[in-house]
Amino acid sequence: MKKIPDNPPEAGLESRTDTSAANTPDNNPDIDQVQRLEEIARHSMEALELCASMGDYQSSLTKFRNRKDIFERAVQGLRQVVPIAFYAFYSVNTSDLDIVPEHTDRPERQDYIGGVVDFLIEKNVVARAFREKRTLVSRTADRKYHLLIHELTTTSRPYGLFICFLESTPPRMSIVDKITTIVTKSACYALENFDLYHLIDQKNAELTDKNLRLSQSEVIYRNTFENTGNPTVITDKNGMILFANSRFVSFSGWERSRLAGGKKFTDFIIRSGRFDFRVLLEEAGHDNPADPTSYVLETGYAEKKMVFLSISPLGIDDRHIISITDVTTIKEAEKKLQHQALHDPLTGLPNRTLLQDRLRQAVKKKRRNKKKDYALIFIDLDRFKSVNDTLGHAAGDELLIETATRLQEALRDVDTVSRFGGDEFVILLEGISDKKDCDALARRILERFTIPVSIGDKELFINMSLGILISSHQDVSEADVIRLADMSMYEAKKRGQNRIVYSHEIEDGEIEQRLYLENELQKGIREDAFFIQYQPLIRLDTNELFGVEALVRWRHPKLGIIPPNTFIPIAEESGLIIPLGRKILELAFTDFAGWVSRFGPKGLRLSINLSVRQILHADIVADIRDAAKKCGLLTEHLCIEITESLFIDDTRQVADTISRLKEMGISISIDDFGTGYSSLKYLNQFSIDMVKIDRLLINNITENKTNFNIVASMLQLCETLNLEVMAEGIEDLRQLEELIAMKCHLGQGYYFSPPQDKAAIEQYIAGGNLPGL
């Protein structure tokens, strides 16, 4: 491959591109020959220019078997006026500006031709050919041959370089330039579309025998024009339609007789302001093929069509040929896709992306003009997931649709209500600065939902929690607006149903502390400030190690060790739980894989907690698989602990995720069982392997008869369902003895050992002891 320099240096050329000397009668005294060639050029220009300009990519037939046929055909015509010894075509790759030899009629001279091309590249001739788009004349370095060099380019792309080798001085250059331009342009359009030229050839052959009175060029012209794949017209210099093909007649809805000489092409174009054919030609001249201008045409059927126009001079009497590509369907599809990208498919409301864009604009207006206030309301439906769980997702969808309708009815036209995700809605109110106005609107929203929603034969009351930020009360960055409204919504949810909390009413210290911890949390993930401690899981009857539970800790440079119950909720709400979770997996898997490799404990289990946000994350299965593969850990050692609250969320996605995890040999355990949203059907529906009885039940097992009976019943149930049971929070010997008596086989707690650093656990696995064991 030959590389064309991006910005080749100008250099002295061993070439002759100035044709003025060649145009003197002294250089070519044969005036008759010159006149003959000029006549050939004139007729060739009319025929071949027309042929080239009529190209259409939608034709379905082919003229040439391959590209070689095109080159041979081109040279055949060129040899009538130019004494060509041999030729070569180099195709160009526009992405990296390489040119590669594609065809020559003297393949045995390919090495010689390659050397000539190297010479032309070095002397800047190739670059000039593509830049100047005209025929260049040069000499080979050994001066054996004269060279005619011409690029092959259409409006859409360059195709390559055409090089003719001549043993004698070329004839009059003005004619050579014209003929070469005609031939190469025709060849270039043939390369661009084999289909059209095959059609031209076929129709030409058919009609030559039928109509001897027509010249060959007229046959090609009429059939190409009529059979081109697009609606096409030929106009005069003022845009008056002279000829229209059948496709345009059908497209426009006008009879052919009324079009020719009776309609200007611009009559079909819908455009406000001054617009005539001259303006259209100017626009076409500046059009970018990669991003063409679209026009709206109104047909005789009173239909509006979106079209692209390809306008080219015909080369005859200032006429133009206009090819029309109907892109109405494409544009409508693009518009639909754009709408889908910015709107929720279920409710039709603006989605998170569109809401964030409008909020960004509102924040900018506020910065430019302090009086341009806005408010943001973050809404979450209370216990929506229970509707999905009990009545099904179809009922949940109906509920969301009705919620969207009522929210829109409660708002002004200038307000934006969006579905932010799941059962969360966010409303942007522009031009509101007074808390009383927000109160009135929030109350109006709540009043809309005092009327129950009918779903099937059931009536449901919708309760919601509202968090509100008003820009006139808090000057915060764009990134914090939604976050603060979200925090206010969570505070409202804590206070009960149908509550409203304003972000400026929350203690500033609490907000600042939360934002500070969130920023520090993000920094801590980047700077590896998290480490893992492990709490032993014990076989109660033998006092042997069953496994370890990985527990994350945060070592903050200023605040010291921060407990999980402080930073995990922040990680959950901010979405940082996903990258933090990946970090925990990597740390725990690395430690555990090292213990298995060095000490080989068979059947030892590593237990890791996953939050609701993690288990519902699309990549969680891949994250676990990739981390285990990277650390060399068999997934059969893993037990994933999930909380009961997970089952009030998307049960379908939860079931799918659990199923995929179990296919990898991973065990599933329900953490804190017995204190949350337990439903016995989940134990079977989700193929649970183990339940962990919450420490609150274990704590009073020796004093509280109710707790004792609950734990005993749970153990009997799990035995019946063939589930393993782990008792959490065993603190003393009496609790241990009661659990053993009730046939509880597994447990953990401070009676055995608190969470330990990696080194202590490693020592125990290697044969040592832990405190309490």
Side-chain angles (χ1 to χ4, degrees), residues 93-106:
N93 184 339
T94 56
S95 63
D96 56 11
L97 296 181
D98 283 342
I99 59 173
V100 295
E102 180 170 336
H103 178 66
T104 177
D105 59 346
R106 296 285 294 277

Side-chain angles (χ1 to χ4, degrees), residues 284-323:
H286 295 93
D287 216 6
N288 180 6
D291 185 22
T293 302
S294 59
Y295 296 87
V296 179
L297 267 62
E298 185 171 12
T299 69
Y301 310 112
E303 295 176 334
K304 292 180 174 59
K305 299 284 188 178
M306 295 288 293
V307 301
F308 292 155
L309 302 179
S310 176
I311 305 176
S312 302
L314 196 59
I316 303 174
D317 298 332
D318 292 330
R319 296 179 180 181
H320 291 82
I321 183 166
I322 304 176
S323 178

Side-chain angles (χ1 to χ4, degrees), residues 402-416:
E402 179 62 22
T403 299
T405 300
R406 295 190 184 188
L407 288 175
Q408 287 177 302
E409 291 172 350
L411 299 176
R412 306 167 302 171
D413 292 339
V414 295
D415 300 327
T416 298

Side-chain angles (χ1 to χ4, degrees), residues 738-755:
E738 290 282 11
L739 289 167
I740 292 175
M742 287 188 287
K743 297 182 180 181
C744 180
H745 302 298
L746 301 171
Q748 69 183 109
Y750 274 63
Y751 174 75
F752 302 108
S753 171

Side-chain angles (χ1 to χ4, degrees), residues 428-441:
L428 175 63
L429 310 172
E430 297 195 55
I432 284 187
S433 59
D434 195 324
K435 182 177 179 297
K436 290 191 297 184
D437 293 337
C438 279
D439 277 337
L441 193 143

Side-chain angles (χ1 to χ4, degrees), residues 695-713:
R695 66 181 66 250
L696 294 177
L697 294 173
I698 301 298
N699 186 43
N700 294 321
I701 194 174
T702 56
E703 289 85 12
N704 188 310
K705 193 64 175 177
T706 300
N707 279 15
F708 179 89
N709 290 333
I710 291 173
V711 173
S713 299

Side-chain angles (χ1 to χ4, degrees), residues 16 33 36-37 40-41 74-87 105 135-137 146-149 162-184:
R16 179 166 56 85
Q33 178 70 2
R36 185 177 70 83
L37 291 175
I40 292 173
V75 172
Q76 179 183 353
L78 194 58
R79 278 187 168 133
Q80 296 180 18
V81 292
V82 182
I84 300 174
F86 57 93
Y87 74 94
D105 59 346
T135 305
L136 301 182
V137 180
H146 295 269
L147 301 173
L148 292 183
I149 305 157
F162 202 68
I163 307 173
C164 296
F165 290 76
L166 284 64
E167 293 180 344
S168 60
T169 303
R172 185 179 179 114
M173 277 307 301
S174 62
I175 295 177
V176 171
D177 191 16
K178 289 181 180 179
I179 296 299
T180 305
T181 299
I182 294 169
V183 172
T184 54

Side-chain angles (χ1 to χ4, degrees), residues 1 7 15 147 227 324 388 451 487 504 512 693 733:
M1 295 186 291
N7 293 292
S15 63
L147 301 173
N227 291 283
I324 302 168
N388 267 345
I451 303 172
M487 288 172 54
H504 66 271
E512 290 178 6
I693 302 177
L733 180 59

